[in-house]
Amino acid sequence: MRELTGELTERQRQIVDHAIEMISEGGISALTMRRLSERLGVTEPALYRHFENKTAILAAMLRVLEAETYERLPLDGAATPSALVAHFDRLFALLTERPALATVVFLDEFASTDPDLQGMVRRLLAKNRDRLAAVFTSIQASVPPGAPIDAESLATLLLGGVRLVVRDWRLDECRWDLADRGRRLVTTLAETLTGRTE
Amino acid sequence: MRELTGELTERQRQIVDHAIEMISEGGISALTMRRLSERLGVTEPALYRHFENKTAILAAMLRVLEAETYERLPLDGAATPSALVAHFDRLFALLTERPALATVVFLDEFASTDPDLQGMVRRLLAKNRDRLAAVFTSIQASVPPGAPIDAESLATLLLGGVRLVVRDWRLDECRWDLADRGRRLVTTLAETLTGRTE
Amino acid sequence: MRELTGELTERQRQIVDHAIEMISEGGISALTMRRLSERLGVTEPALYRHFENKTAILAAMLRVLEAETYERLPLDGAATPSALVAHFDRLFALLTERPALATVVFLDEFASTDPDLQGMVRRLLAKNRDRLAAVFTSIQASVPPGAPIDAESLATLLLGGVRLVVRDWRLDECRWDLADRGRRLVTTLAETLTGRTE
Amino acid sequence: MRELTGELTERQRQIVDHAIEMISEGGISALTMRRLSERLGVTEPALYRHFENKTAILAAMLRVLEAETYERLPLDGAATPSALVAHFDRLFALLTERPALATVVFLDEFASTDPDLQGMVRRLLAKNRDRLAAVFTSIQASVPPGAPIDAESLATLLLGGVRLVVRDWRLDECRWDLADRGRRLVTTLAETLTGRTE
DNA sequence: AATGAATGAGACTTCATTCAT
DNA sequence: CATGAATGAAGTCTCATTCAT
């Protein structure tokens, strides 16, 4: 149970991966220790060899999702509208390729169950929004005049919009093109922004 | 059990109200038949005299929430940016006054359990977004020139943003002023829109 | 609740009739006070106006079934093989016409639930078998020589065979001709008997 | 839960044995998961470690009863009246020795609850009757003249008669000699048959 | 590293019945 | 004569977790 150090053993990683998939398929209520163990081809007590309890699995999952998604999708240099669009293009491409990762967009929805996780999730979500807000701030900084627009609100709008689009896409069982619909959303915000600040 | 006609008996209404509150306090998993009955001061079987099963309670709840919220907050005449802002001002005021209604903003989060409810929720959510999209369309129609902006995307951004703000407010136990933060969000979108189309 | 005198009120008779039908459709487990009341278009407590409890309904049912069936099908004069065949022809015709009455053939199967009914059912079944045994005795009496055959066993064989045939017919949802298959059964016994005693 | 392979674990076998006994004592309604678990000295959930659900227990029970009874009582060589009598002698002896097995004679009575079991039971009952009918056919084949008698009807009569006798014996709490009364029944049929075909 | 067996708590639901009105 | 509201007991089943091996 080397999990405490931040690194996961191979087996732990398998467990977390299956957990992500199960949640992505049937929501948080689909993740039970029984079904998880069945999926791994072991019995339930075996899971407790690798994680202290179910909460620990979810916590590890949060870390993995954050790393997977946000390290692969650094937001750092996206200081122009087009860079922003490109960034979300990469996100939608990633989700299309591996839909289970969409869970990362809805982390908050399953935090309510376990109070221990609530803090983790909230911090994570706040971090994401702040990062995005910082991008909006720097976008505006590079554009000369005009009254400054609330960067936090912009970030909230974009993040919220993305969530809704991804949710619909999943409710429709990923049958339509997320990349297309997603890009329309992001450019819509980017354009209104550009129009305003131009 | 006159619930079928669309009208609820007094007792049914009590049950639904308590259910809304319980969900708003602890999420969908906090709503169990046992706890609900305890809250009402009766035993579990008593609930089954008023509703066929738990799903029927949730279904009635959906209808009540929709009626309560959207009949009190008609979106019809909001064909100008300022009318739109005023509309959401009323929403935030309503939620501040009766936080349990915030559940209405997150209906989708608890639909996953029961397939029968999924359809209901999805139709409801789609309806809301379409209504809002129609408003954006007519706002733009009344403003002469400029390339048309995707009304659906605007609706998604706004709805998504509102969800995120309300969620944060609830996670922070309603300690800050929702009306203020919410208005900032809505005006941010309205302004960028105005700037663009001006 | 005049039921004690042996006579049923009109309402009591309605209740009993519906009970018979429900049992005939779904077995004893299909007869619940709730469903029975729904079928009658009243609420459950209303049933308790007419019968003391569920057992009383079943007891009344036993009496009705016995009267209905065995008064309509007197076994008295069936002292010849052909009269016996004719008697069972009438039984099969009756069941074909009103399948719900088939319950009478399986009275014992639901007696196990309520100890109060066990005695009733057993006496009733014994009576039927004894009547039939008497018939066999008189048939043999009218036929001159040969070692006497155990009339009780003959009655048991015939009654048991009839039960099995009727049961199969009902399991097959009354899709085939009970009268035909039933007559084959009865004549088979009658013939072997005739052959023996001839 | 190796039950799928047809073999039962030791614990599964214990569960099934207790289930048989409980049904034999109080009918199908006496078999509840709670009482079954109490009988085994464990809690209810423990049962679900060994069988998927209650139906699975009943299904296993059917298989065990069939194997127990019919493998110990092969009907194959009973092609003469006396062999037939001997066969049923062995059945009655078996039931006397282990009355709980009498349940096997009434399998159909508890199948009504679960549709999944209905098929199993019907097939099983049909098989038994067909086997017995085949015996009657071969008995008659070995006896020269006379119009052929309907073997299926004979099988039905015998099976039905046996059921009735065993039922009475159990209702009388096994107080009288089943072997004696049973043999009288079987020989009665065998004799009439012999008489006829002689 | 994993299993077999079990558990306490609790989920939803149904049953026959009662009581005040 | 009937209803509306409720109840205690019981039903099947699932959950996360533990313990000895």
Side-chain angles (χ1 to χ4, degrees):
Chain A
M1 245 189 282
R2 161 156 61 98
E3 175 244 339
L4 295 169
T5 70
E7 306 238 355
L8 296 181
T9 65
E10 201 179 336
R11 201 67 163 138
Q12 284 177 322
R13 187 52 205 262
Q14 282 175 29
I15 292 173
V16 165
D17 282 347
H18 279 103
I20 292 173
E21 255 170 40
M22 291 174 70
I23 287 184
S24 105
E25 286 167 15
I28 183 66
S29 70
L31 180 69
T32 71
M33 296 299 272
R34 161 111 98 127
R35 281 201 276 262
L36 182 53
S37 67
E38 277 169 3
R39 200 113 149 190
L40 283 153
V42 297
T43 57
E44 294 159 271
L47 297 177
Y48 290 85
R49 282 280 136 199
H50 301 284
F51 287 100
E52 199 188 341
N53 51 30
K54 190 179 176 181
T55 297
I57 296 180
L58 288 169
M61 196 178 105
L62 285 188
R63 282 189 290 270
V64 164
L65 282 174
E66 194 191 6
E68 282 265 322
T69 318
Y70 290 91
E71 285 175 9
R72 276 210 231 168
L73 296 172
L75 199 48
D76 311 328
T80 67
S82 62
L84 192 68
V85 171
H87 171 264
F88 279 98
D89 277 350
R90 286 197 302 276
L91 171 63
F92 296 130
L94 178 61
L95 294 184
T96 300
E97 182 196 332
R98 203 174 143 212
L101 284 184
T103 305
V104 77
V105 185
F106 306 108
L107 291 179
D108 54 315
E109 296 190 7
F110 67 80
S112 60
T113 324
D114 192 316
D116 286 356
L117 294 172
Q118 287 219 3
M120 269 188 89
V121 168
R122 287 178 59 183
R123 254 171 286 130
L124 215 148
L125 291 172
K127 192 163 84 183
N128 289 340
R129 199 193 49 209
D130 291 349
R131 271 197 225 159
L132 190 56
V135 169
F136 278 113
T137 301
S138 66
I139 288 182
Q140 290 187 272
S142 68
V143 172
I149 302 185
D150 183 5
E152 188 188 340
S153 289
L154 287 172
T156 304
L157 286 166
L158 186 48
L159 238 37
V162 167
R163 281 166 63 104
L164 243 42
V165 167
V166 174
R167 188 208 59 193
D168 285 346
W169 176 64
R170 304 187 68 227
L171 283 179
D172 286 336
E173 282 156 2
C174 312
R175 275 195 291 259
W176 38 270
D177 187 359
L178 174 65
D180 178 54
R181 178 81 191 74
R183 169 182 272 247
R184 237 165 67 213
L185 184 93
V186 181
T187 54
T188 295
L189 188 70
E191 275 173 19
T192 61
L193 193 60
T194 315
R196 172 65 171 71
T197 54
E198 248 169 25
Chain B
M1 247 194 275
R2 143 162 68 101
E3 176 243 339
L4 294 169
T5 72
E7 306 238 356
L8 296 181
T9 63
E10 206 178 329
R11 199 64 162 142
Q12 284 178 323
R13 188 51 206 262
Q14 284 174 29
I15 293 173
V16 165
D17 282 346
H18 277 105
I20 292 173
E21 255 170 39
M22 292 174 69
I23 287 184
S24 103
E25 286 166 16
I28 183 65
S29 70
L31 181 70
T32 70
M33 294 303 271
R34 189 215 263 265
R35 282 203 275 261
L36 183 52
S37 69
E38 276 169 3
R39 200 112 148 189
L40 283 152
V42 297
T43 58
E44 284 175 87
L47 296 177
Y48 289 86
R49 201 140 273 284
H50 301 283
F51 287 101
E52 201 186 339
N53 51 32
K54 190 179 177 181
T55 297
I57 296 180
L58 289 170
M61 197 179 106
L62 285 189
R63 281 189 290 269
V64 164
L65 284 174
E66 193 192 8
E68 283 265 321
T69 317
Y70 289 90
E71 285 176 9
R72 278 211 229 168
L73 297 173
L75 199 48
D76 312 327
T80 69
S82 63
L84 192 68
V85 171
H87 171 264
F88 278 97
D89 277 350
R90 286 197 302 276
L91 171 63
F92 295 130
L94 178 61
L95 294 183
T96 301
E97 180 195 334
R98 202 172 144 213
L101 283 184
T103 305
V104 78
V105 184
F106 306 107
L107 290 181
D108 55 315
E109 297 189 5
F110 67 81
S112 58
T113 325
D114 192 314
D116 282 358
L117 292 173
Q118 284 223 4
M120 270 187 90
V121 168
R122 286 179 61 178
R123 254 171 286 130
L124 218 147
L125 292 172
K127 192 163 85 181
N128 290 340
R129 199 195 48 209
D130 291 348
R131 270 197 225 161
L132 191 55
V135 169
F136 277 114
T137 301
S138 66
I139 287 183
Q140 291 189 271
S142 67
V143 174
I149 303 186
D150 183 6
E152 190 189 339
S153 288
L154 288 172
T156 304
L157 287 166
L158 186 47
L159 237 38
V162 167
R163 282 168 63 105
L164 243 42
V165 167
V166 174
R167 188 208 59 194
D168 284 347
W169 176 65
R170 302 186 68 227
L171 284 178
D172 285 337
E173 282 156 2
C174 312
R175 274 196 293 260
W176 39 269
D177 187 359
L178 174 64
D180 178 55
R181 179 80 189 75
R183 170 182 272 248
R184 239 166 67 215
L185 183 92
V186 181
T187 54
T188 295
L189 188 68
E191 275 174 19
T192 61
L193 192 58
T194 314
R196 170 68 170 73
T197 54
E198 246 169 24
Chain C
M1 242 187 285
R2 166 153 57 99
E3 175 244 339
L4 295 169
T5 70
E7 306 239 355
L8 296 181
T9 65
E10 201 178 336
R11 200 70 165 134
Q12 285 177 322
R13 187 51 205 262
Q14 282 175 31
I15 293 173
V16 165
D17 282 347
H18 278 103
I20 292 173
E21 254 170 40
M22 291 174 70
I23 288 184
S24 105
E25 286 166 15
I28 183 66
S29 71
L31 180 70
T32 72
M33 296 300 272
R34 161 110 99 129
R35 282 201 276 261
L36 183 53
S37 67
E38 278 170 2
R39 199 114 149 188
L40 283 153
V42 297
T43 57
E44 292 158 274
L47 297 177
Y48 289 86
R49 283 278 137 200
H50 302 284
F51 288 101
E52 200 189 338
N53 51 31
K54 191 180 177 180
T55 298
I57 296 179
L58 288 170
M61 197 178 104
L62 285 189
R63 281 190 289 271
V64 164
L65 283 174
E66 193 191 8
E68 282 266 322
T69 319
Y70 289 91
E71 286 176 9
R72 277 211 229 168
L73 296 173
L75 199 48
D76 312 327
T80 68
S82 62
L84 191 70
V85 170
H87 171 264
F88 279 97
D89 277 351
R90 286 197 302 277
L91 171 64
F92 295 131
L94 179 61
L95 294 184
T96 301
E97 182 195 332
R98 204 175 142 212
L101 284 184
T103 306
V104 77
V105 184
F106 305 107
L107 290 180
D108 56 314
E109 296 190 7
F110 67 81
S112 59
T113 324
D114 192 317
D116 286 356
L117 293 173
Q118 287 220 3
M120 269 188 89
V121 168
R122 286 177 60 182
R123 254 170 286 129
L124 216 149
L125 292 171
K127 193 162 85 182
N128 289 339
R129 199 193 48 208
D130 291 348
R131 271 198 226 159
L132 191 55
V135 170
F136 277 114
T137 302
S138 65
I139 288 182
Q140 291 187 273
S142 68
V143 174
I149 302 186
D150 183 5
E152 190 189 337
S153 288
L154 286 172
T156 303
L157 286 166
L158 186 48
L159 239 36
V162 167
R163 281 167 62 105
L164 245 43
V165 166
V166 174
R167 188 208 59 195
D168 285 347
W169 177 64
R170 304 188 68 228
L171 283 178
D172 286 338
E173 283 156 1
C174 311
R175 274 195 291 260
W176 39 269
D177 186 0
L178 173 65
D180 177 55
R181 178 80 190 75
R183 169 183 273 247
R184 238 166 67 213
L185 183 92
V186 181
T187 55
T188 295
L189 188 68
E191 274 173 20
T192 59
L193 193 59
T194 314
R196 172 64 171 71
T197 54
E198 247 170 24
Chain D
M1 247 193 276
R2 140 165 71 101
E3 176 241 340
L4 295 169
T5 70
E7 307 237 354
L8 297 180
T9 63
E10 203 178 332
R11 199 63 162 144
Q12 284 177 322
R13 189 52 205 262
Q14 283 175 30
I15 293 172
V16 164
D17 282 346
H18 278 105
I20 292 173
E21 254 170 39
M22 291 174 71
I23 287 185
S24 102
E25 286 167 15
I28 184 65
S29 70
L31 181 70
T32 70
M33 295 301 273
R34 188 214 263 265
R35 282 204 275 262
L36 183 52
S37 68
E38 276 169 3
R39 200 111 149 191
L40 284 152
V42 297
T43 58
E44 283 176 84
L47 296 177
Y48 289 86
R49 203 138 272 286
H50 302 282
F51 288 101
E52 200 184 341
N53 50 32
K54 190 179 175 179
T55 297
I57 295 181
L58 288 169
M61 197 178 106
L62 285 189
R63 282 190 289 269
V64 164
L65 283 174
E66 194 193 7
E68 284 266 321
T69 317
Y70 290 91
E71 284 176 10
R72 277 210 231 167
L73 296 173
L75 200 47
D76 313 328
T80 68
S82 62
L84 192 69
V85 170
H87 171 264
F88 279 96
D89 277 350
R90 286 197 301 276
L91 170 63
F92 295 130
L94 178 60
L95 295 182
T96 301
E97 179 196 334
R98 200 172 147 216
L101 283 184
T103 305
V104 78
V105 184
F106 305 107
L107 291 180
D108 56 316
E109 297 190 6
F110 68 81
S112 59
T113 325
D114 192 314
D116 283 359
L117 291 173
Q118 284 222 4
M120 269 187 89
V121 168
R122 285 178 63 179
R123 254 169 287 131
L124 217 147
L125 292 172
K127 192 163 84 180
N128 290 340
R129 200 194 47 210
D130 291 348
R131 271 197 224 160
L132 191 55
V135 169
F136 278 114
T137 301
S138 65
I139 287 182
Q140 291 187 270
S142 66
V143 173
I149 303 186
D150 183 6
E152 189 189 338
S153 288
L154 287 172
T156 304
L157 286 166
L158 187 47
L159 237 36
V162 167
R163 280 167 64 106
L164 242 42
V165 166
V166 174
R167 188 208 58 195
D168 284 346
W169 176 65
R170 303 187 67 226
L171 283 179
D172 285 336
E173 282 156 1
C174 313
R175 275 195 291 260
W176 39 268
D177 187 359
L178 173 65
D180 177 54
R181 177 82 190 73
R183 168 182 273 248
R184 239 165 67 214
L185 184 93
V186 180
T187 53
T188 295
L189 188 69
E191 276 173 20
T192 60
L193 192 59
T194 314
R196 170 67 171 72
T197 53
E198 248 168 24

